[in-house]
Structures are given as structure tokens and as C-alpha cells.
Amino acid sequence: MESIIKWTGLFRLSALLVLIITELTFPSCLSAATLEYPYLYKSPRSMGMGGAGVAIGGRFDSIFMNPANLTDLPSDNWEVNLLNFSLGYGKNVEEFIDDIDAATDVGDLNGDGDTSDDELTAVNNVLQEYRGANMHFDASVLSSMARGGEAVSWGVGALGSFRMNMIPHEGFGSGGLLEVHSALDYGYIIGAAFNKSRKFHPGFSLKFINRDSVDHSFSAREIVENEDNLDDYLTDEVVNKGTAFGFDAGLIYEMNDILMKPAIGFSVLNIGDLDFGEAGSIPMTLNLGISAKADLPVLGNILTGFDIVDVTGEFHEDSDMVKRLRMGLEMLVVDNTLSTIALRAGLYQGYGTFGADLRLAMFSLSYNTYAEEIGAYAGQRADRRHVISFAVRW
């Protein structure tokens, strides 16, 4: 697992900062820790729809919002995700890499016959520009199989999910040189939903998850002193490990006899908290959602959803209600055995989202974008992110 953390970019960025630390003369500043809510997995489909999903089923990954969503799997059909891979990155990461590439290729600006001094100055200017900026990267793999049924729908999945937020600082303040918040989660989830009546559908899921996490501010001295054995230092002193068992419960109330077939969803996730010990925790949350469907001429099938997550305010990062609101819609432009084209849009934490899916036979490619609020309230510090997903499913 240590090798996965190694090649995420932390080491390359740390090495770059070590090379220029003797040239930095910035004043001190306060830490700019991200206030992003903790999570295990974000469904790309859901994030394209503004994060809504408490009352929206139809796919196995909806179990992460509400296990009762499994009841919406097509009856007597299998859903198999042989590979479901997603890669996400923040806008700052893309711009930072472009600017660093440009800075290391500025050439001999002062005409002294040496390019190293000019490149060093350019790199220093880039670091000054990005100090305090959050740089986000994430990657996830979800393999699963599920089956819908008249009485019981069920599914089981294997999850690997990595995410990292890095914030470069001036190097002399409380935030150190590089502030890192990362987590690698890997394990299994199994769930079932029951068609107890025509309207009420309860669901339950169990999770067994391992976590390797880093929440640390690296100082310049710390990086320099351990540059020869950085792998061992991270493993022994920085990376925290833990294992947690989780239990989720949910309920879907469907009103199929009403126009647009609304459904109300209720879920309690991570009952008793998902506690990884020193590696952190994800609190128990109570979530509410509502969805509606319509089949419109020309536009096709429309699915809408509205959620309020963490109704009781268990996320300790803040108490802002707007950060807990999600709403969005999905439009199936084409949907048949051979192909699917889906468009999505919504509002997540007060910011716009967009998504698009293309499926040809069993191969799917999608793009989704959303903005994560990493400040204490909506509108403070948006971190725009882009997610590219590839799946082999049938």
C-alpha cells in the first residue's frame, strides 16, 4: 500500500520544494486546512447530478448513499461491473503542473549563458502564486456484481479509493512547507434491499474497510533530514493505519401511482461511526432525499433528485446547511441495448455540476465536474474538480 501513496505526486512535489527551500524567503502564514467532508466513495453519476442520490437507485454504487436504492435494480437481471475506474483532479493541480512545466522551460532570460537561475526564479514565482491553494487528486476502483429481484435485490462490491489534498505554504509558519491530507480506503461492501410492499423498501449494508491515512504538515527540515529514507519515514512516522466495520440502513417509499412517480429516501450511514482509530473516522449521518421521474417527448427520460445530507449536523467541519444540500437531474437522450447517452446537471454545495456518459455495448466513458467547498461555508473557497471514468460493465 505504501507504493500507492508514493506515486501520487507527494514525493515529486516534496523533492521539488527541497531543491529550492534555501532560496525561499517568504513570511509566515496560517495553515489553510481543507474543510472537505470525509467520505469513502463518490459516485461519478451522482456528482454529475449535484451529488443527489439518497432516493435514486438503478446502479450498485447507489448503495453508498442508501442501501435501499438496490431495490431499483432491474428485476431478474444481473449488473456486473468488471472494472469501474475513476480519476479526479482539482483545477489547481492542472494549472500548477502547467505553470511548473512552463517555469522549468523559460530559458536564459538574463543572457548570462545559464538557464538554472532563471528557471529557479520562475519556479519560486509559481510557488508564491499557489501558496495556500488546495491541490486535490483522487482515484477509485469499484468492482461489483448485483442482481435485482421481485422479493430481494442484493449486491456485493470491492472498493479501492484514494484521495489527497495538498497545500503548499511559505515553509516557516504553522502550516509547514507542505500540508497533506490523504486517505487510502480499500475493502468490501455487501447489501440487500427488500420489496416488503409495493411502496416501502427497506435496505441494509455491511462494510469492511481498511484505511491508510496521512494528516501532516511537512516542514523543510523534516523533508531534508529524511530525504534518503522518505519511504520508511512516511510508513513509520506519518502514515496511520486502521480498520473499521460499518453498518448502513435505509428506506425508500415509492409512489408509483402518482404523476412523475416520486420517491422519498431515508438513510442512516455508518451507524455508530466508521472509526479507523488513529487513521480517522467518518461520523454517522442521517440523510433525506426525494426523486421524481418523467418520460418527455424529444427530451427522453428525465430523473430529478434533491437531498439534504447530515441532517443532524454530525460533520464537525462546519455547521453550514448549504454545504449539505444537493440537487440535480439526469436526462437519458439514448438508452437501448447497444448504447446509452446521458446528460446530467445540478447544484452541489451551491456550485454547478455537469456530467455526460457514453456507453457502447459494455464499455462506458464519462466526464463529470463539480466544485467542492473546502471552506467553512458555501461560497468561501470552492475547489473545482474534474472526474474522468471508464467502466466495463454489463
Side-chain angles (χ1 to χ4, degrees), residues 241-253:
K241 298 177 179 290
T243 299
F245 293 89
F247 177 66
D248 309 319
L251 181 69
I252 294 291
Y253 176 64

Side-chain angles (χ1 to χ4, degrees), residues 160-273:
S161 176
F162 176 79
R163 54 204 168 276
M164 173 179 284
N165 291 291
M166 297 185 297
I167 307 171
H169 295 298
E170 290 84 342
F172 302 100
S174 60
L177 184 66
L178 184 66
E179 183 180 350
V180 177
H181 305 277
S182 71
L184 170 65
D185 297 323
Y186 52 99
Y188 305 95
I189 182 170
I190 183 171
F194 304 91
N195 300 327
K196 190 172 182 180
S197 72
R198 293 184 178 180
K199 292 187 177 183
F200 289 96
H201 309 288
F204 307 92
S205 62
L206 294 172
K207 294 176 290 196
F208 173 73
I209 306 293
N210 298 289
R211 168 172 286 187
D212 298 351
S213 72
V214 173
D215 287 287
H216 192 77
S217 293
F218 292 87
S219 67
R221 178 182 296 276
E222 182 180 15
I223 295 175
V224 172
E225 290 180 349
N226 295 281
E227 61 178 321
D228 294 331
N229 63 336
L230 195 55
D231 285 0
D232 293 337
Y233 176 71
L234 287 171
T235 301
D236 298 337
E237 303 294 337
V238 178
V239 178
N240 295 308
K241 298 177 179 290
T243 299
F245 293 89
F247 177 66
D248 309 319
L251 181 69
I252 294 291
Y253 176 64
E254 294 184 331
M255 294 169 277
N256 292 327
D257 53 345
I258 299 178
L259 183 65
M260 297 187 66
K261 300 179 180 179
I264 299 174
F266 168 84
S267 68
V268 183
L269 303 180
N270 309 309
I271 295 174
D273 296 346

Side-chain angles (χ1 to χ4, degrees), residues 299-355:
L299 295 178
N301 293 319
I302 304 291
L303 174 64
T304 61
F306 175 81
D307 291 356
I308 303 176
V309 303
D310 187 30
V311 175
T312 56
E314 300 302 320
F315 288 135
H316 61 77
E317 285 77 8
D318 57 65
S319 58
D320 186 61
M321 181 55 67
V322 178
K323 287 183 65 175
R324 292 162 168 79
L325 298 180
R326 290 96 168 91
M327 65 184 73
L329 61 85
E330 175 185 69
M331 180 173 62
L332 293 179
V333 181
V334 176
D335 187 23
N336 55 51
T337 304
L338 295 178
S339 63
T340 298
I341 298 177
L343 300 176
R344 303 182 184 99
L347 285 176
Y348 174 77
Q349 298 187 341
Y351 303 105
T353 71
F354 172 79

